[in-house]
């Protein structure tokens, strides 16, 4: 065998081996194009398109921690049983909350299609008293107002197309003209109940004038409708740069009573804004003790004591981070509520609020006293410290 033949044989062998290895090589598939989430800025910050759709979605919420001290009647304190003696004693009213919110929006030939949901999860004890069982019995046989997981609540779950909204909402009696002050405990004198299913239509003229008509189911023993006849709420509003004026009227179909509120908002400067609300409602049937479900003078809409009530207050912004908020409320049953706080934005999205609350239950010693806040004395004082991270 000559050198030429040896070289040709070696080359043939190498080619054969290379071909065999090539046949065993792994073929890597080309990656499919990734579909990135697109930002949707049609409805504001935080929205993105759900992949493969024209629907914009936003996810948000907050985490909150409240520490309350003082009297139960101020909506701040709590009571418990002493583990050794069984005696009732004061303690903190604490609550941790996680709230999940979702918003969706999509443009259609019939207008904007929107949804909103809000679900709340809570852990803590109650702003209340321990059960009044015999303290001499073993501790596990009576409720000492322990901390624990509370019921999950669905606060909002509505669909809106154009001006038509259906689903779980809060009553237009409150939402349309706005809640009371920017204080934590704004219902020391209540201004109407909240949770309800609705079928409502909202009209916005685009020039500051708007109106609403809402058919509502109500909630609770007193508030939930007892027939096919819904509660009815109607309202009108006029807003401008200086502030606004608004009013709502509600018909309670269970007790066939009417209640209304008128609100005035005034922006005196960039730093100072004030408001006042006046409420009036009929209550003959609400006060009738012969009703199978007696309301005790407080209906789903006219929750305040007596025929009339007023709420007033305002906000003063010291700077971009710090604001002072205050509210005073009073009703015909001589219930006086005062709340004031300082809210401080530590960093964007994280706010600490310190509030002081006072309730004077004017008819506390009367036989017909209606105890809205669970007060155990005529004058109740308390405070609450709130930490909230919103996202």
């Amino acid at each position: 065998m000559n050198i030429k033949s040896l070289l040709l044989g070696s080359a043939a062998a190498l080619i054969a081996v290379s071909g065999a290895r090539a046949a065993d090589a792994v073929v890597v598939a080309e990656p499919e194009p990734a579909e990135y989430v697109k930002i949707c800025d049609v409805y504001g910050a935080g929205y993105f398109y759900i992949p493969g759709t024209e629907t914009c979605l936003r996810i948000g919420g907050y985490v909150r921690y409240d520490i309350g001290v003082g009297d139960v009647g101020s909506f701040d304190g709590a009571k418990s049983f002493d583990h050794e003696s069984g005696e009732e004693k004061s303690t903190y009213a604490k609550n941790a909350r996680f709230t999940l919110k979702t918003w969706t929006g999509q443009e259609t030939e019939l207008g904007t299609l929107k949804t909103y949901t809000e679900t709340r999860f809570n852990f803590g004890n109650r702003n209340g008293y321990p059960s009044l069982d015999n303290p001499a019995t073993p501790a596990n046989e009576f409720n000492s107002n322990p901390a624990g997981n509370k019921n999950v609540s669905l606060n909002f779950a509505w669909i809106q197309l154009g001006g038509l909204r259906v689903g779980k909402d809060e009553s237009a009696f409150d939402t349309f003209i706005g809640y009371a002050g920017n204080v934590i405990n704004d219902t020391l004198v209540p201004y109407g109940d909240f949770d309800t299913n609705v079928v409502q239509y909202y009209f916005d003229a685009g020039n500051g004038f708007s109106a609403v008509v809402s058919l509502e189911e109500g909630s609770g023993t007193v508030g939930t409708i007892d027939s096919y006849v819904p509660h009815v709420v109607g309202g009108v509003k006029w807003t401008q740069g200086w502030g606004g004026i608004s009013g709502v009227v509600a018909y309670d179909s269970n007790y066939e009573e009417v209640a209304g509120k008128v609100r005035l908002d005034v922006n005196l400067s960039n730093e100072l804004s004030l408001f006042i609300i006046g409420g009036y409602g009929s209550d003959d049937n609400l006060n009738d003790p012969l009703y199978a479900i007696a309301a005790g003078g407080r209906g789903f809409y006219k929750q305040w004591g007596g025929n009339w009530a007023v709420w007033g207050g305002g906000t003063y912004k010291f700077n971009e981070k710090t604001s002072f908020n205050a509210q005073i409320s009073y009703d015909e049953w001589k219930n006086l509520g005062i709340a004031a706080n300082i809210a401080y934005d530590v960093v964007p999205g994280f706010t600490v609020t310190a509030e002081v609350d006072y309730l004077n239950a004017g008819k506390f010693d009367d036989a017909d006293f209606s105890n809205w806040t669970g007060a155990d004395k005529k004058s109740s004082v308390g405070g609450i410290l709130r930490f909230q991270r919103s996202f």
Side-chain angles (χ1 to χ4, degrees):
M1 179 181 293
N2 55 30
I3 296 177
K4 183 177 181 180
S5 299
L6 182 60
L7 291 174
L8 288 173
S10 299
L14 288 172
I15 292 172
V17 172
S18 299
R21 290 183 177 175
D24 294 335
V26 177
V27 178
V28 179
E30 289 288 333
E32 294 185 4
E35 186 174 6
Y36 295 98
V37 174
K38 296 189 299 183
I39 300 300
C40 173
D41 57 5
V42 177
Y43 308 106
Y47 284 85
F48 59 90
Y49 285 100
I50 299 175
T53 74
E54 295 299 318
T55 300
C56 298
L57 170 66
R58 177 186 169 194
I59 301 173
Y62 61 83
V63 176
R64 172 189 294 174
Y65 184 53
D66 290 340
I67 305 172
V69 297
D71 300 320
V72 172
S74 67
F75 281 155
D76 297 312
K79 297 280 190 177
S80 183
F81 285 136
D82 185 280
H83 280 56
E84 180 179 3
S85 67
E87 295 180 355
E88 187 177 275
K89 60 196 302 186
S90 297
T91 186
Y92 299 101
K94 293 187 176 184
N95 191 69
R97 172 184 292 177
F98 166 57
T99 295
L100 178 65
K101 303 179 181 181
T102 69
W103 300 258
T104 68
Q106 179 180 341
E107 295 306 308
T108 75
E109 64 274 15
L110 297 179
T112 303
L113 176 61
K114 299 188 293 185
T115 68
Y116 175 64
T117 68
E118 182 175 327
T119 308
R120 299 175 183 175
F121 306 82
N122 294 279
F123 178 91
N125 61 348
R126 296 175 296 105
N127 161 234
Y129 303 90
S131 58
L132 300 178
D133 294 321
N134 184 1
T137 60
N140 60 3
E141 292 184 13
F142 60 91
N143 182 351
S144 60
N145 191 10
N149 284 305
K150 304 176 184 178
N151 291 335
V152 177
S153 63
L154 181 65
N155 292 73
F156 298 91
W158 50 254
I159 305 167
Q160 182 168 328
L161 179 59
L164 179 65
R165 178 181 296 184
V166 297
K168 170 63 174 65
D169 201 352
E170 292 186 338
S171 174
F173 193 67
D174 303 315
T175 60
F176 184 71
I177 68 170
Y179 304 100
N182 293 323
V183 294
I184 297 172
N185 290 316
D186 64 343
T187 59
L188 291 170
V189 173
Y191 49 83
D193 214 333
F194 300 99
D195 293 326
T196 181
N197 285 319
V198 304
V199 177
Q200 67 180 217
Y201 188 82
Y202 178 81
F203 171 77
D204 188 346
N207 59 358
F209 176 79
S210 58
V212 69
V213 175
S214 183
L215 307 181
E216 304 186 348
E217 180 184 17
S219 60
T221 302
V222 170
T224 304
I225 57 174
D226 57 9
S227 69
Y228 289 112
V229 181
H231 305 312
V232 182
V233 179
V236 293
K237 183 191 304 182
W238 173 258
T239 57
Q240 296 293 304
W242 55 266
I245 185 168
S246 55
V248 286
V249 176
Y251 170 72
D252 185 328
S253 67
N254 288 344
Y255 297 91
E256 299 182 331
E257 300 286 9
V258 177
K261 293 184 295 187
V262 176
R263 176 178 184 136
L264 175 65
D265 291 278
V266 179
N267 301 320
L268 295 179
S269 66
N270 293 331
E271 295 77 24
L272 179 61
S273 59
L274 302 175
F275 80 93
I276 186 168
I277 303 173
Y280 185 88
S282 59
D283 62 357
D284 288 345
N285 294 331
L286 293 173
N287 287 315
D288 192 339
L290 300 180
Y291 267 58
I293 300 178
R298 300 182 188 270
F300 187 74
Y301 299 105
K302 193 211 72 65
Q303 280 195 323
W304 53 87
N307 293 116
W308 58 265
V310 292
W311 304 260
T315 295
Y316 183 81
K317 296 181 179 179
F318 295 102
N319 50 53
E320 292 183 354
K321 287 192 168 188
T322 311
S323 62
F324 171 74
N325 306 285
Q327 175 184 306
I328 300 175
S329 50
Y330 189 76
D331 65 23
E332 189 179 13
W333 285 354
K334 301 179 182 179
N335 296 302
L336 171 65
I338 301 174
N341 68 44
I342 295 286
Y344 178 71
D345 295 333
V346 181
V347 294
F350 179 44
T351 302
V352 177
T353 304
E355 177 167 306
V356 176
D357 301 298
Y358 171 78
L359 174 78
N360 182 269
K363 298 180 68 175
F364 182 82
D365 297 321
D366 295 355
D368 61 345
F369 172 60
S370 176
N371 198 348
W372 172 255
T373 67
D376 58 356
K377 53 187 175 181
K378 188 169 185 176
S379 294
S380 300
V381 180
I384 186 168
L385 183 64
R386 169 170 291 177
F387 303 86
Q388 182 164 315
R389 167 67 168 106
S390 302
F391 57 91

